[in-house]
């Protein structure tokens, strides 16, 4: 394809948080352009957002149904190629399904849907239509997360025994949803957020990171959810014990009342021979701790000699020389770039490389929704362990 991929957006207007981050990430490599959108629930804000983003007025639509219908009727040379969906959780499924059914690829925010049933329906739709769905689990895009995954896979640490993943935030330590914060208001509303606030908003990121880096699937879990803030309708804190498929044990903590914390995502994995540690707030460092050896620090962007050479997955997702910090925006952009490379390869009849296909998909979305469901079921029930069955 000798042109940029054309992107449409559902949500992400001037009244939104993550939509602007998506645009920065999508545009970073110069291979995507924004051509249309239904940017807001409020038509005035949508119109103004389109104007601010230099989108042609006739392609700023009243709602996603109109956008998908009218874009489908445009000639090949103009029509959007894919839709980015950055609305509250309950508004992911319907636009994603409609877009896929009408021949468009999809980038959608997590949690993919608000129920396992919807998630499985999206999986069936992706399989039937042959379209590509990308789920933006942001933390999996970092070069040092890719390096960690590669080292686990090549057996550097031996058989994995223990996985500890944490995602503490402090921004919901008060009743923020009643303080005029629209993002907090829908997140704390079961009708718009889903069954769990903390697990939908950040727990799925942690669960995805644990499975992504370790390469192991969660098989059983035991969960404890709490609502600490009085008046809140959903949980704001959760601790989960995990059992993985190879006998490894894990602990997942997701919390939005960890007062004073920002986005302190951290993962530690230990095998028979050693372990690793990676943290979002220091993302260019990967700490390697081997039994009976001094600690090692792997850093993004270095051309280390063998046996320390960074994996092809880490280097493929690195943009600048070592020492110049890469961060969340680049990690997000890596997800968009791999999605773009995969979509382009498919359209040209080529098989995308493993590096190009390395982004979260509809299958991760189904696992994410199953994770939330299983955590809530275990927390509400009396059994000690609940099976994680997809
Ligand atoms: P937000 O409340 O800031 O923005 C939501 C946007 O959706 C607004 O522009 C709103 O007007 C629009 N909207 C609502 N209903 C709409 C409709 N019917 N049609 C068109 N637009 C509509 O929310 P946010 O914080 O940007 O979160 C959006 C999604 O992104 C959520 O699913 C959230 O979980 C996810 N998110 C992911 C990350 C990440 O790290 N990957 C970070 C933040 C948010």
């Amino acid at each position: 394809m000798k042109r940029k991929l054309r992107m449409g957006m559902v949500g992400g207007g001037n009244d939104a948080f993550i939509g602007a981050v998506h645009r920065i990430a999508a545009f970073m490599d110069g291979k995507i352009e924004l051509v249309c959108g239904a940017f807001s629930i409020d038509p005035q804000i949508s119109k103004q957002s389109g104007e601010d983003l230099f989108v042609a007025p006739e392609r700023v639509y009243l709602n996603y149904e109109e956008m998908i219908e009218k874009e489908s009727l445009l000639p090949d040379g103009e029509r959007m190629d894919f839709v980015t969906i950055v609305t509250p959780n309950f508004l992911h499924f319907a636009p994603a399904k409609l877009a896929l059914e009408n021949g468009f690829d999809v980038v959608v925010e997590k949690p993919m849907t608000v129920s396992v049933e919807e998630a499985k329906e999206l999986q069936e739709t992706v399989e039937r239509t042959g379209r590509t769905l990308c789920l933006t689990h942001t933390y999996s895009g970092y070069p040092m997360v890719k390096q960690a995954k590669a080292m686990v896979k090549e057996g550097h640490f031996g058989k994995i025994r223990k996985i500890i993943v944490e995602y503490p935030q402090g921004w919901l330590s008060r009743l923020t949803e009643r303080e005029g914060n629209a993002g907090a208001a829908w997140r704390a509303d079961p009708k718009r957020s889903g069954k769990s606030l903390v697990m939908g908003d950040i727990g799925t990121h942690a669960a995805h990171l644990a499975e992504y880096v370790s390469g192991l699937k969660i098989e059983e879990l035991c969960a404890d959810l709490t609502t600490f803030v009085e008046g809140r309708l959903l949980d704001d804190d959760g601790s989960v014990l995990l059992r993985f498929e190879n006998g490894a044990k894990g602990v997942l903590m997701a919390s939005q009342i960890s007062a004073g914390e920002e986005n302190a995502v951290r993962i530690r994995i230990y095998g028979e021979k050693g372990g690793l540690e990676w943290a979002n707030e220091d993302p260019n460092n990967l700490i390697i701790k081997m039994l009976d050896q001094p600690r090692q620090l792997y850093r993004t962007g270095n051309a280390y000699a063998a046996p320390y050479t960074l994996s092809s997955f880490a280097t493929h997702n690195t943009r600048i020389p070592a020492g110049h910090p890469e961060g969340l925006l680049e990690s997000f952009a890596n997800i968009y770039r791999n999605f773009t490379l995969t979509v382009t390869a498919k359209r040209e009849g080529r098989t995308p490389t493993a590096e190009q296909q390395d982004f979260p998909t509809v299958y991760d979305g189904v696992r994410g929704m199953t994770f939330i469901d299983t955590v809530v079921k275990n927390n509400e029930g009396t059994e000690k362990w609940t099976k994680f069955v997809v």
Side-chain angles (χ1 to χ4, degrees):
M1 276 171 61
K2 296 274 179 275
R3 62 169 179 80
K4 295 185 181 192
L5 277 191
R6 301 185 197 103
M7 168 181 176
M9 286 194 98
V10 183
N14 293 345
D15 54 345
F17 160 49
I18 205 71
V21 176
H22 276 255
R23 285 190 293 273
I24 294 169
F27 301 159
M28 195 174 281
D29 292 293
K31 294 192 186 311
I32 292 174
E33 62 182 324
L34 179 69
V35 296
C36 64
F39 295 105
S40 172
I41 187 76
D42 178 329
Q44 263 323 102
I45 295 178
S46 184
K47 190 164 172 275
Q48 186 59 50
S49 307
E51 213 175 299
D52 294 345
L53 293 163
F54 306 106
V55 172
E58 68 278 13
R59 291 176 86 175
V60 178
Y61 300 101
L62 215 49
N63 52 52
Y64 71 83
E65 291 96 330
E66 187 196 22
M67 174 169 117
I68 291 167
E69 190 198 326
K70 295 221 168 121
E71 287 290 318
S72 303
L73 300 173
L74 290 178
D76 266 358
E78 284 177 45
R79 192 188 312 131
M80 69 173 172
D81 294 299
F82 76 95
V83 186
T84 285
I85 300 165
V86 279
T87 43
N89 304 349
F90 79 109
L91 267 164
H92 293 175
F93 170 74
K97 178 146 167 93
L98 195 63
L100 293 165
E101 297 283 9
N102 281 275
F104 299 109
D105 296 310
V106 168
V107 175
V108 61
E109 263 300 352
K110 47 46 59 183
M112 189 167 76
T113 56
V114 287
S115 72
V116 175
E117 293 68 32
E118 285 181 354
K120 288 192 171 163
E121 201 173 324
L122 278 192
Q123 180 184 324
E124 182 279 320
T125 312
V126 166
E127 286 169 354
R128 178 168 40 80
T129 59
R131 302 253 58 98
T132 303
L133 183 145
C134 169
L135 183 71
T136 43
H137 274 306
T138 326
Y139 307 101
S140 64
Y142 283 106
M144 285 300 102
V145 168
K146 311 267 185 209
Q147 179 64 18
K149 179 181 174 64
M151 290 175 83
V152 171
K153 193 173 174 197
E154 76 189 16
H156 195 82
F157 310 104
K159 188 172 181 235
I160 298 304
R161 291 171 165 168
K162 190 87 186 171
I163 300 166
I164 303 164
V165 65
E166 306 157 49
Y167 197 156
Q169 297 180 326
W171 74 292
L172 295 179
S173 294
R174 290 186 283 261
L175 205 55
T176 321
E177 57 269 41
R178 305 267 175 85
E179 293 171 0
N181 182 322
W186 71 253
R187 279 173 173 81
D189 172 3
K191 290 200 191 73
R192 292 182 284 169
S193 191
K195 284 184 185 175
S196 167
L197 162 56
V198 75
M199 290 301 155
D201 210 30
I202 57 175
T204 46
H205 274 315
H208 177 262
L209 192 62
E211 290 197 339
Y212 179 73
V213 178
S214 71
L216 299 171
K217 301 268 183 271
I218 301 166
E219 281 198 330
E220 269 186 311
L221 58 79
C222 168
D224 182 20
L225 296 175
T226 308
T227 306
F228 275 104
V229 176
E230 214 174 305
R232 180 159 286 152
L233 300 177
L234 284 169
D235 50 65
D236 47 32
D237 180 83
S239 310
V240 189
L241 295 177
L242 305 168
R243 287 178 172 169
F244 289 85
E245 60 189 337
N246 79 332
K249 301 290 171 81
V251 182
L252 181 150
M253 181 271 257
S255 170
Q256 296 179 301
I257 50 81
S258 294
E261 290 289 4
E262 295 172 344
N263 282 285
V265 183
R266 185 161 72 128
I267 184 161
R268 285 171 287 165
I269 297 185
Y270 304 97
E272 293 163 326
K273 297 193 279 185
L276 66 84
E277 177 173 344
W278 176 87
N280 176 55
E281 293 182 351
D282 201 2
N284 296 294
N285 285 344
L286 173 63
I287 303 168
I288 302 297
K289 308 166 185 178
M290 301 307 288
L291 207 58
D292 306 324
Q293 290 181 24
R295 281 188 185 183
Q296 294 170 351
L297 187 64
Y298 281 63
R299 301 253 313 144
T300 304
N302 278 284
Y304 299 131
Y308 306 104
T309 315
L310 295 177
S311 78
S312 63
F313 288 85
T315 53
H316 171 73
N317 289 284
T318 302
R319 293 185 158 72
I320 44 176
H324 301 304
E326 298 196 26
L328 184 97
L329 298 174
E330 286 84 356
S331 177
F332 226 119
N334 289 337
I335 294 175
Y336 265 97
R337 186 168 58 175
N338 291 337
F339 164 77
T340 306
L341 290 167
T342 291
V343 166
T344 307
K346 279 168 78 175
R347 288 181 185 203
E348 291 174 351
R350 289 180 288 112
T351 305
T353 65
E355 287 83 354
Q356 292 171 347
Q357 290 183 62
D358 180 25
F359 59 86
T361 67
V362 73
Y363 300 100
D364 299 289
V366 170
R367 289 195 69 77
M369 293 316 301
T370 308
F371 173 75
I372 296 170
D373 233 43
T374 314
V375 164
V376 170
K377 188 171 159 205
N378 179 273
N379 179 66
E380 286 173 353
T382 53
E383 64 186 0
K384 189 166 170 185
W385 291 94
T386 301
K387 295 253 180 252
F388 186 119
V389 185
V390 172

